[in-house]
Amino acid sequence: MSLRLKLYALGNRLTLKPLFARVTDPARDGARIDRLAALAGGYPPLSLHLPRPLGGRPGHWIAGPGTDATRVILYLHGGAYFAGSGITHGPMLARLSGYAGVPVFAQDYRLLQDAPFPAAHDDALAAWDDLIARGWSPDRIVLGGDSAGGGLMLALLATLCGRGTPPAGAFALSPWTDLSLSGDSIGKNARADAVLPAHRMKEAAAAYLDGASADDPRASPLFADFPNPPPVLLQVGSPEILEDDTYRMANRLRDAGGEVQVETWDGAPHGWHMGAAWVPEARAALRRVGAFVQTSFDSASR
């Protein structure tokens, strides 16, 4: 555990966690969190970020140098469904693009203050359909996401598996997979988690669900079916309140016959990948994701 990772975790505990704990107005407070996320670091040299619509929503085409545009990562950002965008995650995704050797398409799906559940899932599905309409086949797309976006991505994956059109692979970074909040780690790691305030999670889930059931698989992919899933990589920090969301999700996918890799990064706070501009563990984790993406594409093309 590097000194930079320790400082990054401490910085999150002193800034981001109090912001999440004090949310009263999702639109206003989400914008504050987005501004704080912008301090994590800038784009690496020679990377590209172009605004491009995707699935009827604003989107972001993000690419490192020399990427293969015949393949793509469809990425869904985190932010507890009220914050985040392709802009906040752009620098991190540019590094991931360079490591994976393929561009990233990040969609700005509707946040809860704009339209509650199932709008985000509908937008994510529309983004996939748009990519297919533009000429990418399922075996040339890998899905990705972090936190709430990781859960949204896994819900999309379940929908695509049900259609019989799964992607080449999928990866999720500390995904929120259970909006019923039944995981033991939510209580066990409440004090230790440097980012997420456990006592506000129930409110956050209720705000997003807007009266829908927490076990709806489009909201909580932990309860979804995954017929014939592709390879999946899950990464989670420790201690995090969402650790059990990751481990139980892995078991769910394995029970469906999936090949699942789970990596636990001790000492890494929730969302540590966002610090890739200066945290070595963040870059190392993204390199692991990049290698997984390449392997997934290679396996799908055989």
Side-chain angles (χ1 to χ4, degrees):
M1 184 176 178
S2 70
L3 176 59
R4 290 190 178 189
L5 181 63
K6 292 178 181 178
L7 292 174
Y8 186 75
L10 177 61
N12 276 272
R13 182 177 294 278
L14 296 177
T15 57
L16 193 56
K17 189 169 186 175
L19 275 178
F20 275 121
R22 293 196 302 265
V23 170
T24 57
D25 182 325
R28 180 197 65 202
D29 297 326
R32 290 174 176 172
I33 291 169
D34 289 356
R35 288 194 294 271
L36 182 62
L39 301 177
Y43 282 82
L46 304 179
S47 57
L48 181 70
H49 180 178
L50 298 174
R52 293 289 186 271
L54 186 63
R57 295 289 304 161
H60 308 265
W61 177 265
I62 300 167
T67 53
D68 175 8
T70 66
R71 299 170 170 179
V72 68
I73 297 170
L74 173 57
Y75 194 87
L76 301 170
H77 68 81
Y81 294 111
F82 75 93
S85 69
I87 293 175
T88 60
H89 286 60
M92 183 266 284
L93 294 177
R95 285 175 171 81
L96 173 58
S97 171
Y99 297 146
V102 300
V104 178
F105 233 141
Q107 185 200 48
D108 290 348
Y109 56 85
R110 282 172 290 177
L111 301 176
L112 65 86
Q113 55 266 34
D114 302 316
F117 174 82
H121 178 271
D122 293 345
D123 289 346
L125 183 57
W128 169 273
D129 289 340
D130 195 352
L131 285 180
I132 298 299
R134 294 177 190 220
W136 282 283
S137 56
D139 63 343
R140 291 184 172 272
I141 306 172
V142 164
L143 299 182
D146 67 284
S147 193
L152 179 60
M153 180 279 293
L154 288 162
L156 172 61
L157 177 63
T159 298
L160 297 176
C161 288
R163 283 183 172 184
T165 58
F171 64 89
L173 317 176
S174 300
W176 189 13
T177 67
D178 176 16
L179 271 66
S180 74
L181 308 175
S182 63
D184 290 341
S185 60
I186 292 180
K188 181 176 65 177
N189 293 341
R191 290 176 60 87
D193 192 305
V195 177
L196 298 177
H199 69 285
R200 298 300 305 275
M201 295 296 286
K202 185 175 181 179
E203 294 174 63
Y208 173 61
L209 291 167
D210 193 39
S213 174
D215 63 4
D216 188 310
R218 295 170 299 171
S220 297
L222 184 64
F223 307 111
D225 294 322
F226 293 87
N228 300 312
V232 174
L233 170 65
L234 303 175
Q235 291 184 342
V236 65
S238 182
E240 281 199 51
I241 64 173
L242 295 182
E243 283 186 59
D244 285 347
D245 279 43
T246 293
Y247 303 143
R248 292 181 298 158
M249 189 74 247
N251 290 334
R252 182 78 175 182
L253 289 162
R254 287 171 180 145
D255 288 344
E259 176 186 336
V260 186
Q261 302 176 47
V262 179
E263 297 181 359
T264 301
W265 290 70
D266 291 335
H270 182 79
W272 80 97
H273 306 79
M274 294 287 284
W278 61 288
V279 177
E281 287 87 348
R283 293 191 293 273
L286 289 176
R287 288 190 186 98
R288 296 279 298 170
V289 175
F292 168 81
V293 170
Q294 293 173 359
T295 300
S296 297
F297 282 132
D298 290 344
S299 297
S301 65
R302 292 180 189 144

